[in-house]
Amino acid sequence: MNAVSAAGTLSPVNVAGATSVASDGPVGWLRDAAHTLIAVSDGVILTYFAVINTSYLFLIALAVAELVKRLRRASFAGYDDASSSPFTPPVSLIMPAYNEEVGIAEAVRAMLLLRYPVFEVVVVDDGSADGTLDALCEAFDLVEVERVVPDDVPVRGAVVSVHLPRGGPVPLVVARKENGGKADALNAGINLARYPLLCMVDADSILDSEALLSVAKPFCDDPMRVVATGGVVGIANGCTVVAGRVVEPRVPLELLGRIQVVEYLRAFMLGRTGWSKVGGLLVIAGAFGLFRRDVVVAVGGMDSDCIGEDAELVVRMHRHLRDQGRDYRIVFVSEPISWSEAPSTTKALAGQRRRWHRGLTEILLKHRRMIGNPRYGRIGLVSLPFYVVFELLAPVVELAGLVLVPVGVLIGAVDPDFVWRFLLVAYGYALVVSLVSLAVEEYAFHRFARWRDVWGAVVGAIAENIGYRQLTAWWRLRGMLQALRGAPQVWESIARSGFAESGQARASEGDRA
């Protein structure tokens, strides 16, 4: 019975056993082949986890270099000048809303208080079944007005009415449309937007007061080339919120929230900063992204058929601009923060992760011609292949490892010591990556004022590898299978608690599943 050791060489003891098994005839040969296949598969899985965790460390190293450079220039950022300069490009903030009655008024108030010279807030009520529009009408004294809505990008659900504040000076536009999904609501907002830059934010998000200035700075510094920027998304659960601002970041008391804090930190701040550094950024979160309106219109707006509409837009922009041979930049900015409620129940989290991975699968299938294509430079040769191998297939490999490694030990195809090496590489190494991410964030920004919050995040980093990763791998796999078999996309409203004016941990049922 052949066996492959962790080093990839045949074990002499098991090779001797293979001779006796082979003498049993075809059955023995099949058994021997199965043992060898399992042993080789286990070795491949071990190598896979070693490579993926090393690649994450490499991205973190790139992010550290970028963060050090930005911190040195922080005192010369010029936000005071930009906040009063007539040359700072005006922005239209587009906020799609669906059954957001609980927190929509506070969210809009917070947006209107952002520090920025000229901007408007465009709220699109996507056919809500609750009192979302009524809450806005009451809070801002809205009146319905006659307004022609352009058709720069296609919209499926027609705009039913447009509302403005009665007094006039508040830069707020509220539109109600027939239900068509988040992407369709964003497209309606794009048509209503008056300004050259579009900031797309979720209705359950809170922005730091200078977030818009920070994320718009690359457009001011390099107006001819920058076409999109994205910012950090943090978890608001448990934070202290006053007057629509997070004034004291906290780590949630619940273990599920603590784990997601580490996840978001690793993925949003460091992972995407690293990709931005090498010009390979593919994802700008829908919770906080800024785009040039002319480019968004040129590519046709948001794709209503893709459940991951935010990332798909970025990939389509890459494709369009490279097909045209244009020199452009898509940048991730680590300073600004958009705070969002994270799922606090496993049911809500499962729906979110299925949706995210389904969206990734749909994007890679739609733009498969770009994968490995030198025409698209680093995007085609590095970023997209990375996402295929280490993002799309990650849940498949993880679940395969959880099955094949124990089976390999039970049937004697691998050395029992291999299990410890597998656990160290797959989970111990991943823990090191998470702890390094946490240390870098704490050194660079020191957002958590209390040590108990830092230690809470450390606990989350440890707990992430015990059950959580395995569950999310299963949910992600289901999302991928849904995309492959073309299952119908279902958007459903889930109750939110809104942003309370306190430091108590806020429950969230996630977003549209």
Side-chain angles (χ1 to χ4, degrees):
M1 179 170 57
N2 290 337
V4 178
S5 68
T9 57
L10 293 177
S11 169
V13 174
N14 289 336
V15 168
T19 305
S20 62
V21 171
S23 63
D24 293 337
V27 175
W29 181 87
L30 288 173
R31 220 169 24 219
D32 184 39
H35 280 60
T36 302
L37 179 62
I38 291 175
V40 171
S41 298
D42 286 346
V44 170
I45 291 170
L46 183 70
T47 303
Y48 177 91
F49 280 113
V51 173
I52 190 173
N53 287 319
T54 300
S55 67
Y56 288 151
L57 275 183
F58 178 70
L59 287 172
I60 290 173
L62 292 174
V64 168
E66 184 66 16
L67 289 173
V68 168
K69 185 167 67 174
R70 288 181 181 174
L71 288 173
R72 287 175 178 172
R73 297 181 305 188
S75 58
F76 306 100
Y79 292 145
D80 289 338
D81 294 336
S83 66
S84 58
S85 172
F87 299 106
T88 302
V91 173
S92 295
L93 289 101
I94 303 175
M95 182 185 296
Y98 181 72
N99 289 353
E100 301 283 355
E101 178 184 6
V102 173
I104 189 65
E106 286 302 314
V108 172
R109 284 194 187 97
M111 295 299 170
L112 291 170
L113 292 173
L114 288 172
R115 187 184 179 201
Y116 201 81
V118 179
F119 70 97
E120 64 175 351
V121 177
V122 180
V123 181
V124 182
D125 179 5
D126 189 40
S128 296
D130 65 356
T132 298
L133 181 61
D134 293 336
L136 289 170
C137 289
E138 180 179 352
F140 299 100
D141 193 20
L142 301 180
V143 293
E144 185 174 348
V145 298
E146 293 291 334
R147 181 166 174 176
V148 177
V149 181
D151 57 354
D152 294 335
V153 295
V155 176
R156 293 177 177 175
V159 174
V160 176
S161 61
V162 177
H163 307 258
L164 298 176
R166 189 184 302 273
V170 179
L172 173 65
V173 178
V174 176
R176 181 171 176 83
K177 64 180 289 293
E178 298 171 353
N179 182 260
K182 181 180 178 181
D184 199 53
L186 287 169
N187 282 337
I190 292 168
N191 287 335
L192 286 162
R194 295 183 297 154
Y195 295 138
L197 295 183
L198 305 174
C199 183
M200 302 182 188
V201 296
D202 286 346
D204 68 329
S205 297
I206 289 179
L207 302 186
D208 282 351
S209 60
E210 293 190 344
L212 199 55
L213 285 170
S214 299
V215 83
K217 191 174 188 304
F219 289 92
C220 301
D221 294 341
D222 192 0
M224 300 303 295
R225 293 196 301 157
V226 174
V227 297
T229 59
V232 176
V233 177
I235 290 180
N237 304 48
C239 297
T240 303
V241 180
V242 176
R245 290 286 178 267
V246 173
V247 297
E248 186 176 5
R250 297 279 184 89
V251 171
L253 298 176
E254 299 82 5
L255 186 59
L256 195 63
R258 294 182 178 187
I259 295 172
Q260 291 177 85
V261 166
V262 177
E263 269 191 317
Y264 276 49
L265 170 66
R266 188 176 59 233
F268 282 100
M269 195 191 81
L270 296 176
R272 293 179 189 177
T273 301
W275 279 118
S276 177
K277 176 74 173 176
V278 299
L281 183 64
L282 285 184
V283 179
I284 290 177
F288 190 31
L290 190 62
F291 302 85
R292 267 180 50 177
R293 187 181 188 277
D294 61 329
V295 177
V296 173
V297 170
V299 301
M302 314 299 288
D303 184 357
S304 298
D305 293 323
C306 182
I307 208 165
E309 73 287 331
D310 46 5
E312 194 281 331
L313 173 64
V314 177
V315 176
R316 188 151 31 95
M317 290 174 69
H318 278 297
R319 184 172 184 169
H320 173 77
L321 294 168
R322 286 188 175 270
D323 283 342
Q324 289 191 334
R326 291 175 56 178
D327 184 18
Y328 70 97
R329 293 175 60 212
I330 295 179
V331 182
F332 187 80
V333 184
S334 57
E335 291 94 338
I337 279 282
S338 168
W339 300 93
S340 294
E341 290 184 276
S344 60
T345 66
T346 53
K347 179 181 178 181
L349 182 65
Q352 181 194 66
R353 299 312 163 93
R354 283 196 303 268
R355 188 180 75 252
W356 283 2
H357 214 70
R358 173 173 182 159
L360 175 63
T361 307
E362 291 174 350
I363 292 166
L364 294 174
L365 286 173
K366 178 178 179 179
H367 298 285
R368 58 187 177 275
R369 183 173 68 87
M370 297 176 64
I371 301 172
N373 191 336
R375 175 186 180 89
Y376 299 101
R378 296 172 192 172
I379 300 301
L381 296 177
V382 180
S383 299
L384 284 170
F386 180 93
Y387 271 78
V388 171
V389 176
F390 295 122
E391 296 289 344
L392 179 67
L393 298 179
V396 177
V397 176
E398 178 135 10
L399 293 174
L402 293 174
V403 173
L404 293 177
V405 170
V407 169
V409 173
L410 287 174
I411 68 175
V414 296
D415 190 330
D417 289 339
F418 176 87
V419 177
W420 297 109
R421 288 189 286 270
F422 171 78
L423 292 175
L424 284 174
V425 171
Y427 298 104
Y429 198 176
L431 175 60
V432 170
V433 172
S434 295
L435 293 177
V436 169
S437 300
L438 181 60
V440 171
E441 195 277 342
E442 184 63 15
Y443 170 77
F445 297 104
H446 194 57
R447 288 196 175 98
F448 300 118
R450 307 181 308 170
W451 276 106
R452 60 187 289 184
D453 289 314
V454 176
W455 286 115
V458 171
V459 170
I462 296 171
E464 181 184 8
N465 297 289
I466 307 172
Y468 181 88
R469 270 182 58 177
Q470 295 75 22
L471 276 174
T472 54
W474 170 243
W475 296 330
R476 291 162 68 193
L477 177 62
R478 290 178 59 190
M480 181 172 67
L481 294 176
Q482 287 176 352
L484 292 175
R485 70 171 185 263
Q489 296 180 5
V490 178
W491 296 87
E492 58 187 51
S493 63
I494 302 177
R496 301 182 189 278
S497 60
F499 293 107
E501 301 289 318
S502 71
Q504 299 299 318
R506 293 183 305 270
S508 170
E509 295 301 328
D511 24 42
R512 289 188 246 182

